[in-house]
Amino acid sequence: LCITGQTEATVCIGDRFRLGGDRADAVILEVSQPRQPCWKISRRWKHKTLTKLVGTTGRTGWYCRVIKEGVAHVGDPLTLLERPHPQWTV
């Protein structure tokens, strides 16, 4: 997913988000861990140190687990439902 308005500095491990507003088929996601860029971007762009460069930016993203399956549409609102660990930013 590509989202706007969220960064590694503003998202925390354990955050739960609803994707899809108040629709019955909205998705519930939980931030589970930071992610690291993989070697494939260096290979794809033929730049041997690209993976390391991306890692040093601190903008590497995060993984989410699906708490409730549903349907996501382009432009759906992303709503923070709970933040149990505000001190654990990604």
Side-chain angles (χ1 to χ4, degrees), residues 16-19 21-30 65-71 81:
R16 283 201 179 186
F17 291 95
R18 177 186 297 116
L19 178 60
D22 291 330
R23 294 192 329 253
D25 65 350
V27 178
I28 306 293
L29 301 171
E30 182 180 270
R65 63 175 54 96
V66 176
I67 301 301
K68 178 183 170 284
E69 293 181 11
V71 178
L81 299 176

Side-chain angles (χ1 to χ4, degrees), residues 10-88:
T10 62
V11 172
C12 299
I13 304 299
D15 282 2
R16 283 201 179 186
F17 291 95
R18 177 186 297 116
L19 178 60
D22 291 330
R23 294 192 329 253
D25 65 350
V27 178
I28 306 293
L29 301 171
E30 182 180 270
V31 177
S32 57
Q33 68 182 37
R35 76 175 275 288
Q36 293 296 315
C38 75
W39 58 269
K40 291 179 184 178
I41 61 171
S42 290
R43 182 175 175 195
R44 162 66 177 90
W45 297 105
K46 296 178 176 63
H47 189 288
K48 290 186 179 193
T49 61
L50 187 58
T51 300
K52 183 178 179 181
L53 290 171
V54 170
T56 62
T57 69
R59 299 196 56 177
T60 58
W62 50 88
Y63 291 109
C64 291
R65 63 175 54 96
V66 176
I67 301 301
K68 178 183 170 284
E69 293 181 11
V71 178
H73 300 281
V74 172
D76 275 350
L78 184 70
T79 307
L80 178 64
L81 299 176
E82 69 178 276
R83 174 165 285 159
H85 308 289
Q87 68 281 16
W88 295 352

